[in-house]
Amino acid sequence: MQDRAYPTLAAATRIWARIGLLSFGGPAGQIALMHRILVEEQRWLGEKRFLHALNYCMLLPGPEAMQLAVYIGWLMHRTLGGIIAGVLFVLPGVVAIMALSWIYALYGNVGPVEALFFGLKAAVLAIVVQAVIRIGSRALKNGAMVAIAAASFVAIFGFAIPFPLIILVAGLIGFFGARAGLPAFHGGGGHGKVGKVQVDDADTLLGEESPDHTQVNRGWAFRISGVFLALWLAPVGLLFAVLGPENVFSQIAGFFSVMAVVTFGGAYAVLAYVAQEAVQNYGWLAPGEMLDGLGMAETTPGPLIMVTQFVGFMGAFREASGLSPLMAATLGGLLTTWVTFVPCFLWIFLGAPFIERLRDNAVLTAALTAITAAVVGVILNLAVWFGLHVVFDEVRTLTAYGLDLDVPVWSTVNLAAAALVLAALVAVFRFRLGAVTVLAGCALAGVALAFVGLT
């Protein structure tokens, strides 16, 4: 251990608030922001420790950037530090999404607001396509990984096989492939460097040695697990017991609790499943509204998975019983956020002291590699599903021989939407503009097209 004092909790709180307010750009941008502020500017921890923490968070379900903040906060200031870091990381997004959801629920069908989200949908589609290519180029290193991605896409797009089952099968393939010694399941590949600047751990306040509170303490692990399991699952059980399983609040609590456990591979991977369930099974949203919510999450700080708050908000708004629609919607959105993010604290506080046992586990790495390949196929499904509902006004479902396939009605192509999508793709891939710039530009273009009567 080094003799110098760690940053005070007050100083760390100010930095976490700053990170929370600036955390735009999805997980890659958020992780890079934390690296720049915590490693390069503040020098509170070193490059190796930052990447070690990041690799652990990549193994977990849920938003890896938020969990990385919790991990580092815990590393420096114990449990309270982790709670402060995690809360401040998501709080700006909670407030922003809630405000936008209110505006959407009250004025969503008013011309200018509708036009704004018309433009946002095109930008979101381009960003999702970019995510497919970015993750695919990193994950699909051999024929086996390409085959897993292709099978994953066919399973979810053509046969509507649930996302959790796809992830489970992919993980098992990777696990047994590694156990069998197959070359395709060795090597892993890792996640690469987050920043270009190398920082010497000797110049940081937290180098390679671990503070005393990070040592494995099974008693503490059981106690902290009990606390966060109760915070997470007690409200869920109470809702089911009091309101029954068919109530919208029970459905929200149950559905998004399951999502908290299976959201491997980041928000893009699970959004296709959330969108399909919210639209087709529960009827909480129309297809285009999921894109509207994703546009909100892309343009506000915090994890992209914050879009689930919008889903819970609109579900409760439409199925409120005994409450005013806006009150029910607000409670539904907050309930969604609670069951989505409370488990993240559990994963970190329970698992972080044991990470050394996971670092060099080749079989675990192989399972994760196969899951990442499957996630590429799932995100491709998201891109195709969104694209169909953005560019075409009507989509029909073709059911035959076990297939459950969405196909466009070609006569209903929306030329204005198609042109905006093309422009967004050019902006992203040709001019390499950032997500916020593309979203803002497409939103303004949507308003302009509406003004001249072309939407």
Side-chain angles (χ1 to χ4, degrees):
M1 292 295 297
Q2 301 181 38
D3 294 332
R4 287 174 290 169
Y6 295 122
T8 64
L9 185 59
T13 299
R14 289 192 292 270
I15 292 297
W16 290 121
R18 175 186 168 198
I19 289 173
L21 289 168
L22 297 176
S23 59
F24 294 90
Q30 293 157 359
I31 291 167
L33 173 71
M34 276 191 279
H35 182 272
R36 177 171 60 81
I37 292 177
L38 300 175
V39 178
E40 298 174 18
E41 291 182 9
Q42 302 296 325
R43 292 182 177 256
W44 284 350
L45 71 166
E47 181 86 14
K48 292 180 181 178
R49 182 168 287 282
F50 183 90
L51 291 176
H52 176 55
L54 175 60
N55 287 336
Y56 171 61
C57 294
M58 289 287 189
L59 296 173
L60 300 173
E64 60 267 31
M66 181 265 192
Q67 289 167 336
L68 180 61
V70 176
Y71 184 101
I72 297 173
W74 166 80
L75 199 61
M76 294 191 297
H77 296 107
R78 301 175 180 266
T79 307
L80 180 59
I83 292 172
I84 289 173
V87 169
L88 290 179
F89 190 83
V90 301
L91 186 59
V94 171
V95 174
I97 294 291
M98 185 62 70
L100 289 172
S101 298
W102 270 66
I103 293 171
Y104 188 89
L106 291 173
Y107 307 110
N109 294 324
V110 175
V113 176
E114 195 171 12
L116 187 76
F117 283 101
F118 176 83
L120 281 176
K121 292 173 187 177
V124 168
L125 178 58
I127 291 168
V128 173
V129 171
Q130 183 187 41
V132 174
I133 295 173
R134 185 178 66 244
I135 298 173
S137 65
R138 186 178 71 234
L140 308 183
K141 298 297 187 182
N142 56 54
M145 297 303 111
V146 172
I148 290 173
S152 170
F153 172 76
V154 171
I156 195 168
F157 183 76
F159 295 94
I161 293 176
F163 169 75
L165 181 59
I166 292 171
I167 293 301
L168 174 63
V169 171
L172 290 174
I173 290 172
F175 177 85
F176 288 109
R179 289 288 297 270
L182 299 178
F185 297 95
H186 287 279
H191 300 282
K193 294 290 185 184
V194 176
K196 296 180 179 179
V197 179
Q198 294 293 317
V199 178
D200 189 345
D201 281 320
D203 294 329
T204 65
L205 295 184
L206 187 63
E208 284 303 293
E209 297 181 34
S210 297
D212 292 339
H213 70 270
T214 65
Q215 303 304 311
V216 172
N217 183 325
R218 297 184 185 277
W220 179 84
F222 282 120
R223 288 194 298 272
I224 202 69
S225 300
V227 169
F228 278 93
L229 275 173
L231 288 172
W232 172 23
L233 297 178
V236 179
L238 187 63
L239 287 170
F240 272 83
V242 174
L243 301 179
E246 300 303 317
N247 184 273
V248 66
F249 292 111
S250 301
Q251 291 177 337
I252 288 171
F255 177 68
F256 288 108
S257 289
V258 173
M259 287 299 95
V261 178
V262 301
T263 50
F264 294 95
Y268 283 118
V270 76
L271 285 181
Y273 180 61
V274 171
Q276 288 176 343
E277 289 295 302
V279 173
Q280 298 173 9
N281 187 18
Y282 293 105
W284 293 336
L285 300 176
E289 290 178 332
M290 187 67 188
L291 282 172
D292 295 339
L294 190 55
M296 292 180 193
E298 289 277 13
T299 51
T300 52
L304 190 61
I305 200 68
M306 284 300 307
V307 66
T308 57
Q309 178 177 292
F310 171 75
V311 176
F313 181 99
M314 295 305 297
F317 180 78
R318 288 182 171 139
E319 297 190 26
S321 111
L323 294 171
S324 70
L326 283 175
M327 174 61 73
T330 302
L331 293 175
L334 293 176
L335 173 62
T336 303
T337 300
W338 182 265
V339 299
T340 298
F341 289 104
V342 167
C344 296
F345 293 97
L346 172 62
W347 312 145
I348 295 298
F349 294 145
L350 175 61
F354 297 90
I355 59 172
E356 291 300 327
R357 301 182 182 184
L358 300 175
R359 287 185 69 178
D360 301 316
N361 189 314
V363 174
L364 185 62
T365 300
L368 179 66
T369 301
I371 287 173
T372 304
V375 161
V376 174
V378 175
I379 300 174
L380 178 59
N381 165 70
L382 176 68
V384 174
W385 190 84
F386 277 177
L388 289 173
H389 290 93
V390 170
V391 177
F392 297 93
D393 292 332
E394 290 184 30
V395 175
R396 61 190 179 90
T397 301
L398 194 63
T399 304
Y401 304 107
L403 282 171
D404 190 9
L405 203 62
D406 287 341
V407 294
V409 178
W410 290 95
S411 61
T412 66
V413 62
N414 188 319
L415 294 178
L420 264 183
V421 169
L422 180 61
L425 289 169
V426 171
V428 167
F429 290 102
R430 175 65 180 86
F431 297 103
R432 300 185 183 280
L433 298 181
V436 174
T437 303
V438 176
L439 287 159
C442 286
L444 292 175
V447 174
L449 287 171
F451 183 76
V452 297
L454 291 179
T455 58

